[in-house]
Structure formats: C-alpha cells, structure tokens
Amino acid sequence: MQWLAPAAQRRGEARVRYTGSLARSGRRLALHVGHDGWTKPRDVRMERTGARSWEADVRVDAGHVLDCVVREEDLSGCDNNENADYRLWIDLDPVDAHVHVRAPGTDALGFGSLCAAAYSGGMTHALVSWGDNDFVELAAEATPWLTPLVWVRPGGPGPEDVRRRLADGAAGLKLHPAYDAYPADSAGLDPYLKVAEQAGVPVTVHSGPGPADPDLIRRLAERFPDVRFVLYHTFLGPGNGRRRATRHARQLSNLYLETSWCGSTEVERLIDEVGPDRVLFGSDAATDGPTHFVREPPNIELRETYNRSLVRLVKRLKPAVARKLLESNTRALFGLPGPSGPVTSARTGGSGDPTDPPG
C-alpha cells in the first residue's frame, strides 16, 4: 500500500496504490479500511491502473492511521498481510530504530516476518541488525527501507571490516552484551568504539540485567563522550533498571533511550524525564513473527499491542513530540534519508519481496 501524496497533503482525501498479492486478480478489488484501530470500517472500490496496480481515493479527515486489508469484491480472496493487516499513517512517516533479520521466511526473525510486521505497523524505514552481518547486509542491499547496523563483539569482526561496512552504508554499531556474554564496559570494545568515534556514528546497546546493565553502559558513555549510545529497550527487565537508565540519560547527553517493549505510559515517562529529543521508537521486530505489532494476547507488558500503544501515544503527545519519537529523532541521529518522493508508507504485498519497500 502506498500513499500517492506526501504527509502534508494527506488530509481530506488521499489516493492509495495497491500492488500486492491480489493485484493480478481478474476480479474487482475493494479496500476495506478503518481509522485508528478499525473504527468506522468501510469498503472503498479500487480501480485497476496497471497490470499489477490498483488505486483508491480514501477519506482521511479523521484519525491518525488507516488500518487496511484488500479483498476481492465477491469475497473470494483477501490479502490481510499474514493476518496482521496493514497500516498507513496519515500525518507521519514512522521509522523503527530496532529490528532484526537472520533468515528468509516467516518464522521469528525471518525476512518475511519482518516485512509483515513493518507493513502492519506502517513503518517506512528501519534499522536492522543481527550477529550475521553478511546476511543483514545482503537483506539491506535488496531492501531500500532497511539500513544496517554492524554487530560487533570483543574479538570480532575486525575494525577494518567494520570500517568497510560503515563506508558501504551501515549507520552505526550494535552491541549485545547479554547474547554474546561479555560485560558491557569491556575494554575489548574500545577498538570498535574508536571506529564509531572516528566515523561519527551511534552505537546501539542491548540493555538489561547482568552484563548489559545500564550502569556498565554508562561507563562506556563516560569513556567515549563523543560517541552517542542508544540503550535498546531502556532496560529489558524490572522497572528499577529503567529508572537507572533514565537517570544516566539525564546526566549524560550522549545517552539516548529506545522504547521497545515499553508500554505507552512508560514511553511518556521517558519523554517527560529525558526530553523529547533523545527518545526513539523501536519495536524489536520480528521476534514475535509476522504479527509482532498486533499479537494477541498483547505482547507489551501483557497489556498493549504496539499498534494500540502507538495510536495512544500520538493521541496524547503534542504533534511535534510524536513526530520526534516516531520519526525525526532516529532519522537525525543515524543520518537516515527523509521519505523519498511521494510514496511514503507501507506497501501492501503478501510476498515479502525485498524489492518492494514500505516507503
């Protein structure tokens, strides 16, 4: 699904293009659409505009998102994005600061799962990483809406390999002290942090109990004050860890917080305590497979889905703050391009083809 107008021109009536799995159907198609979590659902007839392209004009004068599926008018076929539906943001072009891919397919962390999750959340760009840098790099080369991070650990890969990957388009580094079993303040990281410092790129760090504790990550930030560090999850564990992570970020200007697995109320607290310029939205997709953004029972603290959380946030936050959280903070920190051209939101497609980007 693609908007055929930039965000500033989507109010009132906007045109949507569909190029997904039903586009070659011999039957007429309808766009089934609702606002902000399927309120006031309705069908909009689509018209064929090419061999694999259908379009529809949709009213977007209310709400923040359109939730969509495409179906044949006789109801014989339906494209509902691996049972996750599709989402198009009306006023925003969101960026996911934290996703993973490790293999093809629709298993957890599969490429097909990542695509479905991104389309269901309406993400238009994402920062991707995994321990297999070669696979991540291959996926990103084939996928315009993915930008890779270089996964590093003490002892490997070599600093020159990291420099090469950064020169080839990676936007920063990824550390996972818990997964790779080393303390987050390990001196073995220094060669990589020096590379990050020289290249001017951020370093993302899984934060949680034990070797990934925020107190240890703070030591890295103090040792390398010119490197910007992002605490993924803002501590994946009990609330006292998040309080410490927040306190460190208030005291050190080179620490940023990322919100994966944080409920909407917690995200608001992070913004209130650290300020709107250093909090980034991330999802950790697709650790929960294709339905990562909409899984039931809810996967964020067993209370919220990502999609419900995001709608709650954009309703409660000031528009400028919501834009920083969901889009501009991550674009600015990692040097990501703005939405390219008039197509700025997720494509509806059932194939998970990496050549078909959300944005």
Side-chain angles (χ1 to χ4, degrees):
M1 198 84 68
Q2 301 170 334
W3 288 116
L4 297 184
Q9 299 176 19
R10 291 179 200 153
R11 286 289 173 178
E13 187 171 81
R15 196 161 181 83
V16 170
R17 175 179 293 155
Y18 171 74
T19 57
S21 60
L22 294 181
R24 296 185 185 276
S25 171
R27 299 178 176 88
R28 292 199 62 86
L29 300 184
L31 181 68
H32 187 62
V33 61
H35 281 93
D36 289 9
W38 288 110
T39 60
K40 299 181 179 179
R42 63 197 185 280
D43 286 338
V44 180
R45 175 169 283 192
M46 308 193 81
E47 60 182 39
R48 184 184 289 277
T49 58
R52 193 176 172 178
S53 176
W54 293 73
E55 295 181 7
D57 292 315
V58 183
R59 293 294 305 177
V60 289
D61 51 0
H64 302 277
V65 298
L66 296 180
D67 295 294
C68 316
V69 299
V70 175
R71 56 194 185 192
E72 294 171 333
E73 285 193 335
D74 63 2
L75 303 183
S76 59
C78 179
D79 178 0
N80 67 356
N81 184 32
E82 303 287 346
N83 296 313
D85 299 339
Y86 298 93
R87 173 161 280 191
L88 294 170
W89 287 82
I90 295 170
D91 291 322
L92 295 165
D93 295 303
V95 178
D96 194 327
H98 184 180
V99 307
H100 300 294
V101 65
R102 67 180 178 188
T106 54
D107 294 334
L109 304 180
F111 181 77
S113 294
L114 176 57
C115 289
Y119 301 155
S120 73
M123 299 296 110
T124 67
H125 207 97
L127 292 166
V128 61
S129 65
W130 191 250
D132 184 349
N133 285 317
D134 288 338
F135 184 84
V136 168
E137 192 172 272
L138 187 66
E141 284 176 354
T143 312
W145 54 273
L146 285 176
T147 294
L149 302 173
V150 187
W151 188 297
V152 303
R153 58 183 69 81
E160 289 308 315
D161 181 79
V162 175
R163 286 191 181 91
R164 177 192 65 78
R165 294 180 191 274
L166 291 173
D168 286 345
L173 306 188
K174 168 64 186 287
L175 311 178
H176 202 315
Y179 186 86
D180 288 326
Y182 62 86
D185 63 345
S186 170
L189 294 170
D190 286 7
Y192 307 107
L193 299 181
K194 290 176 182 176
V195 170
E197 184 177 49
Q198 292 163 1
V201 298
V203 176
T204 65
V205 193
H206 170 91
S207 62
D213 191 89
D215 293 357
L216 301 180
I217 299 170
R218 177 186 178 127
R219 295 178 191 173
L220 284 186
E222 290 174 330
R223 209 155 75 220
F224 289 86
D226 293 329
V227 175
R228 296 156 296 169
F229 293 86
V230 180
L231 278 72
Y232 271 174
H233 315 298
T234 310
F235 194 84
L236 190 59
N240 68 323
R242 288 201 172 136
R243 300 303 184 273
R244 286 187 290 113
T246 304
R247 184 171 68 250
H248 296 329
R250 286 202 310 267
Q251 295 170 349
L252 297 178
S253 62
N254 61 330
L255 284 178
Y256 293 70
L257 305 178
E258 181 267 345
T259 67
S260 55
W261 307 117
C262 296
S264 57
T265 300
E266 180 72 358
V267 174
E268 289 183 280
R269 184 191 71 80
L270 299 180
I271 292 171
D272 287 342
E273 294 193 13
V274 177
D277 296 325
R278 286 192 287 138
V279 182
L280 319 177
F281 168 74
S283 74
D284 209 11
T287 54
D288 271 344
T291 59
H292 188 91
F293 275 73
V294 296
R295 200 195 76 181
E296 296 289 354
N299 55 1
I300 302 179
E301 302 173 349
L302 300 180
R303 292 197 297 267
E304 290 181 306
T305 67
Y306 275 105
N307 273 3
R308 284 200 291 270
S309 172
L310 290 175
V311 168
R312 287 169 182 167
L313 284 166
V314 297
K315 286 181 176 180
R316 297 196 296 243
L317 296 174
K318 294 180 180 179
V321 174
R323 187 174 302 280
K324 288 181 177 183
L325 170 70
L326 289 175
E327 180 178 358
S328 57
N329 284 348
T330 302
R331 291 192 193 276
L333 182 61
F334 290 90
L336 302 179
S340 57
V343 177
T344 53
S345 204
R347 184 195 75 89
T348 302
S351 66
D353 185 341
T355 63
D356 294 325

